[in-house]
């Protein structure tokens, strides 16, 4: 049988088959997907094959194979072992919630998030939340920011999770997909999920409470079917993706507007800083590339902005 992993407790995996039945499955012995060293061999979102075992009239499964993942996100443990934990896999898209204030979301955070998502091959949609609370000036700021990201290919929507503005658009985009929500604590992730699917209210509330008390319990990702044709992967306490190790020359490839110009740089290993005849710098000077994007790029290359380090993104 084949199915998708919806939940994991560490030793048992809840797998949903195509005809909608759930089975509790285990793995036997050592079981590793080639090339990935992680503390967990199987993660939420994995597509697996399993064999049924019937004991005392109960069916459980033994997982025998994992399909190759289209993508996956990880968390690196902070202890010395630096082991990788796979949080979730096969994610179609992530909605990054952004607020201008309460709390502020800085462009450096957005850009770092987008670079990581690009590196993981996960499509990102930007949701500018709490538009019901903004002054005219702040709304202009939203418009300006949205234009920057729209121009380089990211869909942007202004929404209000509390008034319901544009929630129908979000739902339409979610259809038929495996979705994730991300963003700083307080941007409205739980409120939005609740607006989309009120029955998920309890769980998200419980998680928020847990975190406001500063508890550091180990929380597992979990997948939920919605009442319309869409799936959410809930990743409690995780506001961003894990760290991605990249080479200096690689970072620019995850800025789509830089990548598009790369072939026009004189040097094919150009990192767009001091090289002569750099198409990215020329575009920057011609105002065709946003200065805030370029600033984020420099910060990522310098790697000195501890505050935005992707491996510190756990709440
Ligand atoms: P989370 O930490 O990202 O899950 O954020 P929450 O969903 O807990 O929201 C944090 C606070 O912002 C709560 O008090 C929400 O009621 C409020 N909030 C969320 N979305 C909106 C919105 O669109 N408009 C307004 N006015 N408040 C919102
Ligand atoms: Zn260049």
């Amino acid at each position: 049988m084949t199915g998708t992993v919806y939940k994991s407790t560490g030793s048992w995996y809840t797998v949903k088959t195509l005809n909608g039945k759930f089975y509790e499955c285990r793995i036997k012995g050592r079981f590793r997907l080639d090339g990935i060293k992680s503390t967990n061999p199987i993660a939420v979102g994995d597509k697996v094959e399993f064999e049924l075992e019937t004991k005392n009239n109960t069916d459980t499964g033994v997982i025998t194979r994992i399909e190759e993942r289209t993508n996956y996100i990880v968390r690196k443990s902070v202890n010395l072992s630096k082991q990788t934990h796979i949080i979730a896999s096969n994610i179609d898209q992530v909605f990054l919630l952004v607020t201008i204030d309460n709390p502020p979301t800085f462009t450096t955070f957005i850009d770092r998030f987008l670079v990581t998502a690009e590196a993981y091959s996960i499509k990102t949609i930007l949701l500018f939340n709490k538009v019901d609370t903004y002054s005219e000036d702040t709304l202009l700021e939203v418009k300006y920011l949205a234009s920057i990201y729209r121009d380089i290919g990211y869909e942007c929507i202004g929404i209000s999770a509390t008034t319901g503005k544009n929630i129908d658009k979000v739902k339409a985009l979610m259809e038929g997909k495996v979705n994730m929500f991300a963003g700083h604590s307080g941007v409205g992730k739980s409120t939005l999920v609740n607006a989309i699917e009120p029955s998920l209210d309890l769980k998200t509330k419980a998680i928020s409470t847990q975190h406001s008390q500063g508890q550091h319990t180990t929380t597992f990702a979990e997948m939920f079917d919605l009442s319309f044709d869409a799936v959410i992967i809930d990743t409690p306490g995780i506001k961003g993706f894990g760290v991605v190790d990249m080479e200096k020359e690689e970072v620019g490839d995850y800025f789509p507007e830089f990548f598009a110009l790369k072939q026009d740089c004189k040097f094919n290993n150009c990192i767009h800083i001091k090289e002569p005849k750099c198409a990215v710098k020329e575009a920057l000077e011609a105002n065709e590339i946003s200065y805030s994007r370029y600033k984020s790029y420099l910060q990522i290359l310098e790697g000195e902005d501890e505050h935005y380090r992707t491996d510190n993104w756990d709440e």
Side-chain angles (χ1 to χ4, degrees), residues 33-155:
L33 207 57
D34 284 349
I36 301 166
K37 271 198 187 141
S38 67
T39 50
N40 56 330
I42 292 177
V44 166
D46 279 347
K47 309 231 189 280
V48 296
E49 258 172 38
F50 64 96
E51 277 162 17
L52 270 191
E53 276 188 348
T54 308
K55 265 186 210 153
N56 307 325
N57 278 335
T58 358
D59 289 336
T60 58
V62 176
I63 294 171
T64 52
R65 206 181 73 87
I66 320 179
E67 232 178 73
E68 199 176 327
R69 300 170 174 131
T70 58
N71 57 36
Y72 60 92
I73 57 172
V74 304
R75 159 158 57 191
K76 276 201 177 147
S77 74
V78 286
N79 63 30
L80 283 176
S81 69
K82 292 250 188 297
Q83 289 243 54
T84 297
H85 177 84
I86 300 175
I87 300 165
S89 71
N90 300 320
I91 302 146
D92 289 321
Q93 56 191 11
V94 56
F95 292 90
L96 177 63
L97 272 75
V98 170
T99 48
I100 305 299
D101 36 49
N102 278 321
T105 305
F106 298 111
T107 49
T108 33
F109 174 81
I110 300 174
D111 296 332
R112 191 170 275 271
F113 185 94
L114 293 176
V115 164
T116 319
E118 292 286 343
Y120 277 128
S121 321
I122 301 173
K123 180 185 164 181
T124 307
I125 296 157
L126 299 182
L127 299 180
F128 293 89
N129 192 30
K130 306 198 186 183
V131 292
D132 61 299
T133 65
Y134 295 153
S135 66
E136 300 243 314
D137 280 353
T138 311
L139 284 173
L140 280 177
E141 204 178 320
V142 170
K143 262 200 165 158
Y144 174 67
L145 267 185
S147 74
I148 291 179
Y149 291 101
R150 212 170 272 139
D151 281 353
I152 56 175
Y154 296 102
E155 191 156 349

Side-chain angles (χ1 to χ4, degrees), residues 262-300:
K262 191 182 173 180
Q263 73 220 37
D264 301 331
C265 292
K266 185 174 180 201
F267 298 101
N268 61 12
N269 60 349
C270 186
I271 57 166
H272 325 305
I273 297 184
K274 284 186 180 138
E275 295 91 339
K277 301 222 164 118
C278 165
V280 170
K281 292 282 293 213
E282 280 164 15
L284 182 71
E285 273 146 34
N287 275 327
E288 287 157 12
I289 277 181
S290 141
Y291 182 69
S292 76
R293 291 275 295 164
Y294 188 72
K295 207 172 88 184
S296 298
Y297 172 71
L298 292 182
Q299 277 196 20
I300 292 171

Side-chain angles (χ1 to χ4, degrees), residues 3-9 13-17 22 42-48 70-71 87-93 174 176-181 193 197 200 203 207 219-227 229-236:
T4 305
V5 177
Y6 268 58
K7 193 178 172 177
S8 143
T9 60
Y13 304 92
T14 310
V15 178
K16 187 188 175 198
T17 60
F22 287 92
I42 292 177
V44 166
D46 279 347
K47 309 231 189 280
V48 296
T70 58
N71 57 36
I87 300 165
S89 71
N90 300 320
I91 302 146
D92 289 321
Q93 56 191 11
M174 289 173 71
K177 303 243 158 69
V178 175
N179 302 280
M180 251 184 73
F181 292 91
V193 169
E197 191 78 50
L200 283 182
K203 186 176 162 63
I207 289 156
T219 34
F220 287 97
E222 191 170 347
M223 209 166 191
F224 295 96
D225 286 333
L226 302 188
S227 54
D229 174 29
V231 171
I232 287 184
I233 295 187
D234 187 23
T235 53

